[in-house]
Amino acid sequence: MSKEITDTAAAAARVDKELDLSNAGRGVWLVKVPKYIANKWEKAPGNIEVGKLKISKQVGQKAQVSLTLSDAVINIDPAEEIPRDHRLDVSVVTKQTLGVFAHSVPASGAGSADPTPESEKLFMEGRIVQKLECRPYADNCYMKMKLESIRKASQPARQLKSLEKIVQTFKPVSDHKHNIEEKERKKAEGKKSRDDKNAVLDMLFNAFEKHQYYNIKDLVKITRQPISYLKEILKEVCDYNMKNPHKNMWELKKEYRHYKEDDKKDEDGKEGGMSDSDSD
């Protein structure tokens, strides 16, 4: 049900618009200009002349097209000198169809309602018949501009700065203690190599003959094994205590326990007797 409502709303939001094709037969040029010209044109007001095109054609030769920027554009930012004269390399569009389209939205005046999608109009301004690429002449102005561009690009993003007084924001931050300990732990573990599983089990059983409970740090020191590998073996033969009085300690499972006091009880045939080891 919700999907049907969503589809209906989406269909209502879509409005078919007619495309005005009255200028579809008009041929237009697609011109690619350098970035420095585009930046100047973006800063220029809409009521000035930005440049002049000159087309010269001789019999039997390809037409020569040139662009000369106006003084108004050159003087928008006098500190940034750019070339004035450019040539346009022309290429004919033959194997593809390209067009220029315009989207017209009427401005809403004071007190009038917002423009509806039906009031918007689409126009085809023309079909692209030629591509032109604007290129500067290699004169002194262009070479000077490129040299300045290379100089700015070669400047490092970070530079050394001499400080005359203590500035807290530039003081290096010392590494935190827990980060140093973590690095040392990982470094120590990286030097450890995994021994044979049976050899590790022998070390564990020998250790548990001396004490009944161990924490993981002590077992790592005894076996000299990576902690992840050691835990895999411990889970097979040991139980991890979650409650007091031996919380967070490892203990052999019942089937692997074999303490001296148990042997003494079996030999004496006594139950409930306390030996020296029981006092531990």
Side-chain angles (χ1 to χ4, degrees):
M1 182 65 180
S2 59
K3 184 176 184 301
E4 294 178 359
I5 295 175
T6 305
D7 293 343
T8 304
R14 293 193 300 267
V15 177
D16 293 333
K17 304 180 184 66
E18 292 186 359
L19 178 62
D20 188 342
L21 298 176
S22 57
N23 294 325
R26 182 171 62 179
V28 297
W29 289 1
L30 176 63
V31 183
K32 180 181 179 182
V33 299
K35 187 175 181 181
Y36 59 85
I37 294 182
N39 292 337
K40 290 280 189 178
W41 284 353
E42 287 180 358
K43 297 177 183 178
N47 57 351
I48 67 170
E49 180 185 277
V50 295
K52 290 184 178 181
L53 278 177
K54 181 180 179 181
I55 304 175
S56 59
K57 187 175 181 180
Q58 297 180 1
V59 179
Q61 294 184 0
K62 191 176 181 180
Q64 302 294 324
V65 184
S66 61
L67 170 67
T68 301
L69 298 178
S70 64
D71 292 336
V73 171
I74 295 293
N75 296 327
I76 287 178
D77 187 0
E80 183 184 357
E81 296 184 6
I82 63 173
R84 180 186 298 271
D85 297 320
H86 299 75
R87 74 177 189 275
L88 279 76
D89 296 337
V90 183
S91 61
V92 181
V93 180
T94 56
K95 296 184 179 181
Q96 58 183 162
T97 302
L98 301 175
V100 178
F101 298 88
H103 181 204
S104 175
V105 180
S108 57
S112 62
D114 294 337
T116 60
E118 292 82 355
S119 61
E120 300 178 7
K121 295 182 179 180
L122 298 177
F123 301 88
M124 185 173 183
E125 299 292 347
R127 181 174 57 86
I128 296 174
V129 294
Q130 285 185 334
K131 291 183 179 180
L132 296 92
E133 187 165 356
C134 183
R135 299 180 182 273
Y137 295 102
D139 54 8
N140 292 334
C141 181
Y142 175 74
M143 293 301 178
K144 184 178 178 180
M145 183 189 68
K146 291 300 293 183
L147 183 63
E148 181 66 16
S149 176
I150 294 172
R151 186 189 66 80
K152 291 181 179 180
S154 63
Q155 290 181 350
R158 297 182 179 182
Q159 298 180 353
L160 294 176
K161 184 177 180 181
S162 178
L163 301 178
E164 298 179 356
K165 59 181 180 178
I166 297 176
V167 181
Q168 298 294 333
T169 55
F170 288 96
K171 294 183 68 175
V173 179
S174 59
D175 202 355
H176 297 287
K177 182 179 179 182
H178 67 273
N179 290 338
I180 297 174
E181 292 176 353
E182 183 69 10
K183 291 178 183 178
E184 291 178 352
R185 184 184 67 80
K186 291 183 178 180
K187 185 177 180 181
E189 286 186 5
K191 296 180 180 179
K192 299 173 185 176
S193 59
R194 293 189 176 190
D195 292 337
D196 183 73
K197 182 178 179 180
N198 293 329
V200 177
L201 287 172
D202 289 340
M203 288 187 284
L204 290 174
F205 287 136
N206 291 334
F208 281 106
E209 285 182 0
K210 299 176 182 178
H211 300 285
Q212 185 174 356
Y213 303 97
Y214 284 93
N215 59 37
I216 190 64
K217 291 182 179 180
D218 293 334
L219 292 175
V220 170
K221 292 179 181 179
I222 293 171
T223 60
R224 299 294 300 171
Q225 299 298 307
I227 189 170
S228 58
Y229 176 59
L230 181 59
K231 284 185 176 180
E232 292 178 4
I233 300 176
L234 286 173
K235 291 178 181 179
E236 295 181 9
V237 298
C238 294
D239 291 326
Y240 185 72
N241 291 293
M242 302 294 292
K243 298 181 180 180
N244 291 323
H246 302 291
K247 189 176 181 180
N248 301 331
M249 304 284 281
W250 290 90
E251 178 187 14
L252 282 176
K253 292 183 178 181
K254 292 182 179 181
E255 56 267 30
Y256 296 107
R257 296 177 192 171
H258 185 70
Y259 299 114
K260 293 181 179 180
E261 59 266 30
D262 295 333
D263 295 340
K264 188 173 182 180
K265 290 178 183 179
D266 294 337
E267 292 174 1
D268 296 340
K270 296 181 180 180
E271 293 293 334
M274 179 176 292
S275 62
D276 294 339
S277 59
D278 291 329
S279 61
D280 298 336

